Amino acid sequence: MRSAKINRQTAETEISVEVNLDGIGQYDNQTGVGFFDHMLDQLARHSLIDMTIRAKGDYHIDDHHTVEDTGIALGQALTQALGDKKGIRRYGECHLPMDDAQVRCALDLSGRPFLIWNVDLPTPKIGTFDTELVREFFQALSTHGGITLHIDQLHGFNSHHIAEAAFKAVARALRLAVETDPRKADAIPSTKGAL
Ligand SMILES: [Mn+2]
């Protein structure tokens, strides 16, 4: 079973993340940031990665550290669960429409972090949530998950829809990338022999 558990504690946040890459998309995510929980639930549901996340942060400042550090811990959990990446498809992509919004994700579990973020969230807030934190989350996930992560918005004017489409697009792409390729299940998908 490809799974991992990460506990990460700093002066700013306390995070625990459990993932099972071979799951069914079960989730139980409680970060104290309502909209962010809604997005993490989408990430689990549509990647079919089982995900249990608990976070406590310095909310009296804002939600920044909590969201960013959850991205770090989730990235670390994915890295650990993927191990030597033997047999995975490695690449994934998705065009995800949601009402007015359409977001494309193309990703490579390359071990080489790189984020392309071509997304314009037109309002500074979604409810009480700072929209700029969506990018912060994906930056942390890319860096600590070793993911070449390209996210491009093709359409959209509603911030909630655009953000949700981004999370779902990444989820769907991640599902493809972490799944085992039955034609090459015993090999690391790189001509270098390592990822
Ligand atoms: Mn929603």
Side-chain angles (χ1 to χ4, degrees), residues 64-117:
H64 190 114
H65 300 137
T66 304
V67 172
E68 181 178 20
D69 292 1
T70 300
I72 291 171
L74 182 58
Q76 290 172 336
L78 291 178
T79 296
Q80 190 176 307
L82 282 164
D84 65 4
K85 300 179 181 171
K86 189 178 280 183
I88 64 168
R89 293 190 193 276
R90 177 180 167 181
Y91 297 98
E93 74 288 308
C94 178
H95 283 76
L96 196 298
M98 183 173 178
D99 300 341
D100 54 289
Q102 186 182 154
V103 176
R104 177 181 67 210
C105 174
L107 64 80
D108 176 10
L109 299 175
S110 58
R112 299 192 302 278
F114 202 103
L115 177 68
I116 299 283
W117 179 252

Side-chain angles (χ1 to χ4, degrees), residues 35 123-131 159-160:
F35 180 75
T123 59
K125 293 271 192 186
I126 300 169
T128 59
F129 184 81
D130 292 321
T131 51
S159 294
H160 187 125

